């Protein structure tokens, strides 16, 4: 029987992230924050991975930022697996997590397990993320029992947009804050290795972070979580419409792309592209009597 070698080489693993939380609880001044971003394709994943991101999430936000839907609800299991496979090819160091899309874990546990297994077998993801707290206790326990690491997600859960009546901050009342505390404890008790806290008051997120033994990953939950995640399109300024309050924009990729395309359109229409140096010439391949290989981009 062969033995799989230790990941090593700087590879981020589930046990390492859990150990970071244990170290942070023992010595808060030495905490090592967890850096997470979403990705949906090979080049983005490779760029994030090489930049040192700890966790890459193939989020169901794919539906909105890449496929043009108004919510995350329409994206399918097949679409998520397709994009997760592309992200896998660009990810070497980071831990790869995939969202289980709406409808893929809302029926019987056995079917939900089969869908999660597909992510692991077909896309080689290292963990799956599911939304919901107490009501997902049985599911999280079953997945972890099957040795599929699970990242929880509580607070504003976008797949519940219709039940919530929109995208609103959660946990602002005493009752809702207490429910979120119960949800966080349930997710941890069920065996999740981490939990996303989305759109909750900073003070509540800090309390949950202090209480849990697993890492909390914040998105619109203040700076006191064990890590942070953003949708990469928000970070890069490549979105249409209003950017969430919590999303800091580090670039304006949308304008950069538009400017480059406008210049290209102008050059083509004016005959400035392609130039002679960007063209092939018959003499270059006939001197030796054979063609030479060239680097090309295929449309």
């Amino acid at each position: 029987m062969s033995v799989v070698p230790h990941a090593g080489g700087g590879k981020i693993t589930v046990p390492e992230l859990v150990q970071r939380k244990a170290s942070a609880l023992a010595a808060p001044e030495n905490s090592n924050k967890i850096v997470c971003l979403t990705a949906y394709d090979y080049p983005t994943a490779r760029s994030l991975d090489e930049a040192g991101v700890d966790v890459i999430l193939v989020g169901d936000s794919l539906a909105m930022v890449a496929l043009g839907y108004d919510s995350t609800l329409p994206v399918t299991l097949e679409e998520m697996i397709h994009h997760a496979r592309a992200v896998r090819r660009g990810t070497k160091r980071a831990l790869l997590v995939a969202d289980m899309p709406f409808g893929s874990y809302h029926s019987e546990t056995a079917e939900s397990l089969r869908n999660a297994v597909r992510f692991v077998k077909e896309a080689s993801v290292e963990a799956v993320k599911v939304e919901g707290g107490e009501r997902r206790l049985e599911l999280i326990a079953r997945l972890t029992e099957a040795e599929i690491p699970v990242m929880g997600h509580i607070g504003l859960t976008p797949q519940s947009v219709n039940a919530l009546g929109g995208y609103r901050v959660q946990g602002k009342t005493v009752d809702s804050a207490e429910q979120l505390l119960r949800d966080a404890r349930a997710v941890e008790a069920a065996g999740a290795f981490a939990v996303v806290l989305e759109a909750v008051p900073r003070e509540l997120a800090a309390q949950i972070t202090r209480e849990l033994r697993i890492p909390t990953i914040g998105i619109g939950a203040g700076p006191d979580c064990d890590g942070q995640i953003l949708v990469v399109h928000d970070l890069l300024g490549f979105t249409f419409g209003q950017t969430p309050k919590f999303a800091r924009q580090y670039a304006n990729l949308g304008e950069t792309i538009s400017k480059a395309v406008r210049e290209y359109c102008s050059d083509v229409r004016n005959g400035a592209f392609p130039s002679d140096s960007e063209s092939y010439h018959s003499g270059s391949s006939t001197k030796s009597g054979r063609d030479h290989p060239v680097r090309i981009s295929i449309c």
Side-chain angles (χ1 to χ4, degrees):
M1 184 176 94
S2 62
V3 178
V4 177
H6 185 273
K11 177 73 178 78
I12 304 298
T13 64
V14 166
E16 182 197 339
L17 296 182
V18 175
Q19 181 56 47
R20 283 197 203 183
K21 177 58 181 267
S23 299
L25 289 172
E29 68 280 3
N30 296 323
S31 65
N32 186 5
K33 295 281 190 177
I34 301 168
V35 181
C36 315
L37 281 171
T38 64
Y40 317 99
D41 54 54
Y42 168 80
T44 304
R46 181 167 175 173
S47 295
L48 302 188
D49 194 57
E50 293 178 355
V53 170
D54 296 318
V55 178
I56 294 179
L57 171 68
V58 186
D60 59 357
S61 47
L62 163 75
M64 302 176 74
V65 300
L67 302 182
Y69 291 115
D70 293 330
S71 74
T72 64
L73 301 180
V75 72
T76 67
L77 179 65
E78 300 300 330
E79 289 169 329
M80 289 295 300
I81 291 175
H82 170 83
H83 285 268
R85 291 175 68 187
V87 172
R88 172 76 281 169
R89 290 189 285 271
T91 305
K92 304 301 180 187
R93 173 187 173 274
L95 183 78
L96 181 59
V97 183
D99 261 330
M100 294 193 69
F102 180 73
S104 68
Y105 60 99
H106 296 76
S107 55
E108 297 195 2
T109 303
E111 180 183 356
S112 303
L113 175 58
R114 283 193 294 271
N115 291 335
V117 167
R118 286 193 62 192
F119 272 110
V120 176
K121 290 182 70 68
E122 298 178 33
S124 298
V125 307
E126 294 153 299
V128 296
K129 181 166 77 64
V130 298
E131 295 184 8
E134 286 183 320
R135 65 183 183 277
R136 301 289 178 243
L137 196 153
E138 180 183 352
L139 171 63
I140 294 172
R142 183 67 186 91
L143 294 180
T144 55
E145 181 183 308
E147 298 179 293
I148 300 176
V150 177
M151 177 180 284
H153 185 155
I154 64 174
L156 171 56
T157 48
Q159 293 176 9
S160 305
V161 60
N162 292 327
L164 296 174
Y167 301 106
R168 296 186 172 89
V169 177
Q170 304 296 303
K172 297 182 74 172
T173 67
V174 173
D175 288 344
S176 62
E178 289 177 350
Q179 179 60 58
L180 282 180
L181 283 166
R182 290 194 296 271
D183 285 338
R185 293 165 185 151
V187 165
E188 179 180 49
F193 74 90
V195 59
V196 171
L197 308 179
E198 180 167 358
V200 302
R202 171 182 177 172
E203 297 79 9
L204 178 58
Q207 181 181 354
I208 293 173
T209 300
R210 287 192 301 270
E211 288 194 16
L212 296 191
R213 313 298 293 183
I214 61 174
T216 59
I217 309 297
I219 177 166
D224 303 304
C225 297
D226 298 302
Q228 297 290 330
I229 188 166
L230 283 176
V231 172
V232 70
H233 288 63
D234 290 336
L235 179 149
L236 295 176
F238 193 31
T239 57
F240 302 93
Q242 187 175 1
T243 302
K245 172 184 178 179
F246 55 76
R248 182 180 297 179
Q249 185 176 315
Y250 287 81
N252 192 348
L253 189 57
E255 178 55 33
T256 299
I257 291 174
S258 294
K259 180 177 183 293
V261 172
R262 287 193 298 266
E263 291 181 6
Y264 169 72
C265 290
S266 176
D267 285 352
V268 170
R269 289 167 181 150
N270 295 331
F273 176 84
S275 66
D276 183 70
S277 64
E278 293 162 327
S279 304
Y280 297 112
H281 297 274
S282 57
S284 62
S285 62
T286 57
K287 289 180 180 178
S288 63
R290 64 178 183 273
D291 292 332
H292 295 284
V294 295
R295 182 182 179 92
I296 61 173
S297 296
I298 301 173
C299 291

